[in-house]
Amino acid sequence: MAMVGLFWIAEGDVYVGAKPFGATRGVRLTSEGVVALGEGQSGLYLWEDVHALTVADAPVRSLLRRVGAVTNVALHMAMNAAAMDTVPDRATDTPPTLMVGVETPDGAHELTAYVAAANGYSQTEIDLSRALLSRLTEGAATMATTLAAMAEWGRAWEDGSSRSAERERLLREWVDR
């Protein structure tokens, strides 16, 4: 499993945002269409009906976000060490989400997916991911070859997420398919 831009690719499955577990919300991209997963959202939006695919609220990586993540971990560790029952447990806080917009003849649909990058995404990866999502709606052949390339890469890659430069290279390659 690995994260490339806004995508989580696990064993050939491609998700926007984090891969959902149990009843958590998520969005999976399949050869048939966009699949809404999890509590409160379900359904399949066939590619032939998808006119646009967008993402909003993707957090941009910043120094402040990194410091905040470290602070939250430190605070959680201190609270556990002190066994303070009066302070809320930060580990149970829900992770941030992003909104995946699916435009069909029936209208605009907003789906929720959890953010996979704890510290946010680089602006370049967000921009390339948005371009890739747009590219997937350009036609069946483009969508099929692009998703197949992403899934193939995911099946071959087992060592976690690659470095930023490699992720950007992959996104550019997939956008140019």
Side-chain angles (χ1 to χ4, degrees), residues 73-84:
V73 169
L75 180 61
H76 178 68
M77 290 173 60
M79 289 183 323
N80 282 342
M84 297 172 55

Side-chain angles (χ1 to χ4, degrees):
M1 69 182 154
M3 184 182 66
V4 179
L6 300 178
F7 304 97
W8 189 263
I9 306 170
E11 301 163 358
D13 294 330
V14 179
Y15 299 89
V16 180
K19 177 182 179 180
F21 292 96
T24 60
R25 292 179 174 193
V27 177
R28 183 174 172 209
L29 306 177
T30 70
S31 58
E32 292 83 30
V34 179
V35 182
L37 303 167
E39 189 174 318
Q41 67 181 25
S42 64
L44 169 65
Y45 302 93
L46 299 174
W47 285 115
E48 62 200 40
D49 296 329
V50 176
H51 300 299
L53 206 52
T54 59
V55 171
D57 303 329
V60 178
R61 181 180 305 137
S62 68
L63 179 58
L64 184 58
R65 187 175 299 283
R66 288 181 186 184
V67 169
V70 171
T71 302
N72 283 342
V73 169
L75 180 61
H76 178 68
M77 290 173 60
M79 289 183 323
N80 282 342
M84 297 172 55
D85 293 329
T86 59
V87 178
D89 184 5
R90 298 289 238 180
T92 62
D93 288 350
T94 57
T97 59
L98 48 86
M99 298 304 294
V100 179
V102 182
E103 209 171 296
T104 68
D106 298 336
H109 309 274
E110 285 192 348
L111 307 177
T112 303
Y114 287 102
V115 170
N119 296 324
Y121 304 94
S122 75
Q123 187 62 57
T124 301
E125 286 185 82
I126 291 171
D127 294 343
L128 287 168
S129 296
R130 286 177 172 156
L132 183 53
L133 287 169
S134 178
R135 183 107 168 95
L136 290 173
T137 64
E138 291 178 359
T142 300
M143 176 278 304
T145 58
T146 302
L147 278 180
M150 293 171 79
E152 180 181 326
W153 179 86
R155 283 188 291 274
W157 187 266
E158 297 177 11
D159 297 329
S161 297
S162 53
R163 309 248 316 125
S164 180
E166 175 65 9
R167 293 190 309 263
E168 290 176 15
R169 185 195 67 73
L170 281 166
L171 289 166
R172 282 187 179 90
E173 177 184 314
W174 295 334
V175 166
D176 292 338
R177 282 199 171 270

